[in-house]
Structures are given as C-alpha cells and as structure tokens.
Amino acid sequence: MLLRRESTEERDEHIDMTPMVDVVFQLMTFMLFSSQMSGGELVDVPPARHGVGVEESAATFLTLLKPGPGEADAQLLLGHGKGPRATLDQARDAVAEAARNGIHKVILQADGDVPHGKVLEAAAAVSQVEGVTVHVGVQEAANATGAPEP
C-alpha cells in the first residue's frame, strides 16, 4: 500500500533560484570580460540635408585625412586640406590664435575613412578654446542634376 499524504496538510515546496542567479551572473561576467570594445568605428560622412553654411573667410579650417600606407593614425592638417601637419595641441593653439584675431568658428572636415573617434577627439581638443564654435564639415547636398546646390 502506498503512503498517502493528507490533503489538508500544507506543502512546503519552493524552487531555490540561487543557483540560477549565480549562473546568470557568471555568464554576464564572462561576456563582459571576453567582449572586444572598439571606440574607433568607421563612419561615412553623410551629405548635408539642412543647415546654413559657414562663411569660409570667417572660420579656421582643420582637416583630418585618412591614414596613408604605412601610417597608423589619421593626419591632422591646419587649413583647408593643404596646410601643414599638426598635433592636437598645435591645432588648439592655432584655433586660440585665430580666436584672439576675431575668428570664432572652426570647421573640422574629415575624410569618410577617418574613424569617428578621431573626429570627436579633434573636436574636443579645439573646443577647449573659449568662445569658439566647432562645425563638422559634411558633403554638400547635390540637386537632381548631380551638381552641388548653390
């Protein structure tokens, strides 16, 4: 004969979730330490859709070129794509000098193959100069004929 429990007796059954929570935390820790964090995602510069252009004569230009063959980092140039190479400190000094001369706008243009993190790094460096506004250059929008809009 089988033993029967009384139907009036209260059951003291529960599921212990502690081992499951431990496994989940171990999996989360493993994923955190095994994932590769990369800050330099490549971003293509989109064409401009809205906005007002900045007068070129009233702005300081900085250009970021993609790394050349055998180079590890993007090249920062003072000027509109043809100036001398510069470090971030030299670029900040050039922007500060221009600000002292009344030029308070900076146009930062970057090749589409320059990592987004490098553009942000350059923008952060020159924005430390008080009183300047940094504008990121984008491609001019083309009209239906393919020519740039006026």
Side-chain angles (χ1 to χ4, degrees), residues 29-69:
T29 304
F30 173 76
M31 297 291 253
L32 179 70
F33 289 123
S34 65
S35 65
Q36 296 282 332
M37 299 293 176
S38 61
E41 300 285 330
L42 293 179
V43 177
D44 288 327
V45 177
R49 293 185 187 181
H50 306 286
V52 179
V54 176
E55 185 65 38
E56 289 186 25
S57 62
T60 304
F61 276 87
L62 299 175
T63 305
L64 278 167
L65 299 177
K66 66 181 176 180

Side-chain angles (χ1 to χ4, degrees), residues 72-142:
D73 233 357
Q75 302 173 33
L76 177 62
L77 304 179
L78 297 177
H80 199 10
K82 298 181 182 175
R85 284 188 182 190
T87 64
L88 291 176
D89 290 334
Q90 291 170 332
R92 186 181 317 114
D93 293 343
V95 168
E97 179 64 32
R100 284 191 289 275
N101 293 329
I103 299 175
H104 297 284
K105 294 183 180 182
V106 177
I107 298 177
L108 178 60
Q109 52 191 3
D111 188 280
D113 291 331
V114 173
H116 184 66
K118 292 295 179 186
V119 177
L120 291 177
E121 187 178 313
V126 298
S127 66
Q128 292 174 355
V129 177
E130 194 167 328
V132 299
T133 55
V134 179
H135 303 270
V136 177
V138 293
Q139 296 176 7
E140 220 174 328

Side-chain angles (χ1 to χ4, degrees), residues 17-32:
M17 297 296 290
T18 306
M20 187 187 306
V21 171
D22 289 343
V23 169
V24 168
F25 278 121
Q26 287 178 0
L27 286 172
M28 287 173 52
T29 304
F30 173 76
M31 297 291 253
L32 179 70

